[in-house]
Amino acid sequence: MIGVAVSDSPYGGYKDIGIVYNKDGYRPDSCSWDAQSVHNPHIKRYNGKYYLYYCATADPGENAHVKGKLSRRDRLQQNQKLGVLCFNSIKELLEGKFSCNEQPLLAPRTRVKPDNVLEPSPEGTVTKPDNLILVNPAVVYHPLKKKYYLYFKGNVYDPTWRGVHGVAIADAPEGPFIVQNDYVFEFETGDNRKLNAEDPFVWYHRKDNCFYAVFKDFTGGFTKGKPGLAIMYAEDGIHWKLPEHSLFMNKEIILKNGERIEVDRLERPQLLLDENDEPMVLYSACSVTPLNMKQDGSSFNIQIPILWNK
């Protein structure tokens, strides 16, 4: 499901005003490619119009072409693709006045996995960054090239699972997007391993003439410290580099009284930028205690004021 919350301040006080897409949620409906699970919304405004990018899936059923065995959950997970809703105002979105894709905005070009794979690619297929799944959209406009860059996450197995990222480029925010073969947000460690980002939020800073990305650092490998949020940059949006100090934020909450609370999760970072392309507020999904087996609603969204100091 995708819902909307509003506030008079970017720093908090948000109130839920309703579900706007996939109101039936996780049900056995295969009437569309995005019928059963819609998540990770990413909203942008271009040329006076809103574009809400999201990932979604539907179970292709037990008769789908599968190499090996897959549960319903695994079929849903491996069938994730990207879409976009287009609308003129939040009011119209709430009224259901939006356009959407009958077909996905982007779907994986390759489906390479040793076994237990939905709709496998032919033997010998070269894996692309948009392999198996497409999730976690992040869209940014390049004002010099007048192009829209859509960053996404895919999965590869070399030989075990690894999340990777790629980018697709379009002339318009609604596409069509052409996927590039470059792997982005990926760094060699020097010991035959690769560091991969997660949940990147990307923006273009016009004064600096470069792209920035804030992302989840699973292991602390990017910052050479504890897991948290890190930052990288690129002049062209394709070839990314780490600054000397790549830590963006520790995995903690700082209260108004100065107290620091370490948290288990600080994920899916999204930024509100000012008129100078500098971050004002970080929005993130958060959980203070371990989350995986929880069903009590104790995860939450958090708004953190940012003092941008490059």
Side-chain angles (χ1 to χ4, degrees):
M1 298 181 180
I2 295 176
V4 175
V6 298
S7 174
D8 293 328
S9 167
Y11 301 107
Y14 287 88
K15 295 181 179 179
D16 176 18
I17 58 173
I19 302 298
V20 298
Y21 200 60
N22 197 24
K23 295 182 180 181
D24 295 321
Y26 189 72
R27 64 174 182 148
D29 177 2
S30 57
C31 65
S32 68
W33 68 271
D34 60 355
Q36 293 179 30
S37 178
V38 179
H39 55 289
N40 283 9
H42 174 75
I43 189 168
K44 303 301 286 278
R45 189 169 187 262
Y46 296 117
N47 306 317
K49 194 168 185 176
Y50 290 94
Y51 299 87
L52 195 160
Y53 303 89
Y54 62 96
C55 44
T57 188
D59 181 9
E62 294 181 357
N63 295 324
H65 181 204
V66 173
K67 177 184 176 182
K69 294 182 179 181
L70 290 175
S71 66
R72 179 171 183 259
R73 180 189 182 282
D74 289 335
R75 293 194 303 268
L76 284 162
Q77 192 272 338
Q78 288 192 22
N79 204 30
Q80 294 178 102
K81 306 176 181 73
L82 298 182
V84 62
L85 307 181
C86 306
F87 48 96
N88 295 313
S89 67
I90 300 300
K91 180 177 181 293
E92 288 193 2
L93 174 66
L94 290 166
E95 294 171 349
K97 297 177 181 178
F98 54 79
S99 62
C100 59
N101 304 86
E102 290 187 7
Q103 299 298 322
L105 181 67
L106 281 180
R109 294 177 296 168
T110 63
R111 306 195 60 82
V112 178
K113 188 176 181 288
D115 54 17
N116 301 326
V117 56
L118 176 70
E119 301 291 346
S121 292
E123 196 74 26
T125 298
V126 177
T127 306
K128 304 297 185 184
D130 50 323
N131 189 58
L132 284 178
I133 66 170
L134 281 169
V135 295
N136 299 2
V139 179
V140 61
Y141 179 62
H142 192 322
L144 300 181
K145 293 191 174 182
K146 301 187 185 305
K147 301 285 187 181
Y148 295 85
Y149 286 39
L150 189 163
Y151 297 91
F152 58 82
K153 179 183 176 182
N155 284 349
V156 300
Y157 289 77
D158 56 0
T160 57
W161 173 86
R162 184 165 62 88
V164 296
H165 288 82
V167 61
I169 300 176
D171 294 324
E174 68 272 20
F177 283 90
I178 306 301
V179 182
Q180 311 300 296
N181 291 332
D182 304 88
Y183 288 82
V184 297
F185 313 134
E186 182 175 276
F187 292 84
E188 300 283 349
T189 64
D191 56 359
N192 295 320
R193 294 187 302 114
K194 293 178 180 177
L195 292 174
N196 292 95
E198 174 77 356
D199 290 344
F201 176 90
V202 187
W203 79 100
Y204 187 83
H205 197 290
R206 288 166 294 178
K207 183 178 178 181
D208 294 350
N209 292 322
C210 78
F211 292 81
Y212 291 106
V214 170
F215 59 95
K216 179 181 173 182
D217 181 2
F218 271 113
T219 63
F222 285 96
T223 63
K224 297 180 173 56
K226 295 181 178 180
L229 299 181
I231 189 167
M232 63 178 81
Y233 68 96
E235 287 83 3
D236 61 359
I238 304 292
H239 302 95
W240 291 83
K241 304 173 184 176
L242 288 174
E244 181 180 358
H245 302 289
S246 57
L247 176 65
F248 185 80
M249 183 175 294
N250 290 315
K251 209 160 61 168
E252 64 180 12
I253 299 171
I254 304 176
L255 303 183
K256 289 183 177 180
N257 63 7
E259 180 184 355
R260 294 174 181 263
I261 301 175
E262 289 192 9
V263 298
D264 179 66
R265 299 292 183 93
L266 195 63
E267 304 192 359
R268 191 64 183 156
Q270 302 284 295
L271 294 173
L272 177 64
L273 308 174
D274 68 15
E275 65 276 8
N276 297 314
D277 304 320
E278 299 190 351
M280 296 172 55
V281 187
L282 170 78
Y283 300 93
S284 181
C286 186
S287 177
V288 176
T289 54
L291 185 66
N292 280 353
M293 299 305 294
K294 284 188 174 185
Q295 296 183 359
D296 61 358
S298 56
S299 60
F300 53 93
N301 292 325
I302 190 169
Q303 306 90 44
I304 302 175
I306 298 294
L307 178 62
W308 179 245
N309 184 15
K310 298 189 291 294

